[in-house]
Amino acid sequence: MDIEFARLAIRAGFSSGRELETLIHITKAHWEPAAHKEFAIGIARATAEIQAATTEKAVAAFPELEAEVDAAVNKYGRY
């Protein structure tokens, strides 16, 4: 993995998380609370796995990306 691929992986992880979060908001508005809660827990697990496979691996390979990601998120709310 090179640093540009690491950046791409991090961005893909963040993008996937945003898409999945949208589903949580939709189900909260349209599903019964118990069904929504079960779905949200599953999405949280999936998001954690995506995070581990993308961001955590990329930052482990290139620790300097952690500051870059944090700065972008703090400034723009996304990376």
Side-chain angles (χ1 to χ4, degrees):
M1 169 185 332
D2 64 27
I3 196 164
E4 289 305 317
F5 180 83
R7 287 182 175 112
L8 178 65
I10 292 168
R11 287 186 185 105
F14 274 83
S15 177
S16 297
R18 280 191 303 275
E19 288 293 321
L20 293 170
E21 185 178 347
T22 298
L23 293 176
I24 291 173
H25 294 293
I26 292 169
T27 62
K28 186 173 186 175
H30 298 283
W31 291 14
E32 293 183 19
H36 164 73
K37 182 178 179 180
E38 182 179 338
F39 182 79
I41 289 169
I43 293 298
R45 287 186 186 124
T47 301
E49 288 294 323
I50 291 168
Q51 182 80 8
T54 58
T55 303
E56 290 176 19
K57 289 205 185 308
V59 170
F62 300 96
E64 66 270 26
L65 287 178
E66 186 170 8
E68 181 180 311
V69 171
D70 288 346
V73 170
N74 288 334
K75 186 171 184 176
Y76 302 113
R78 63 187 308 159
Y79 179 73

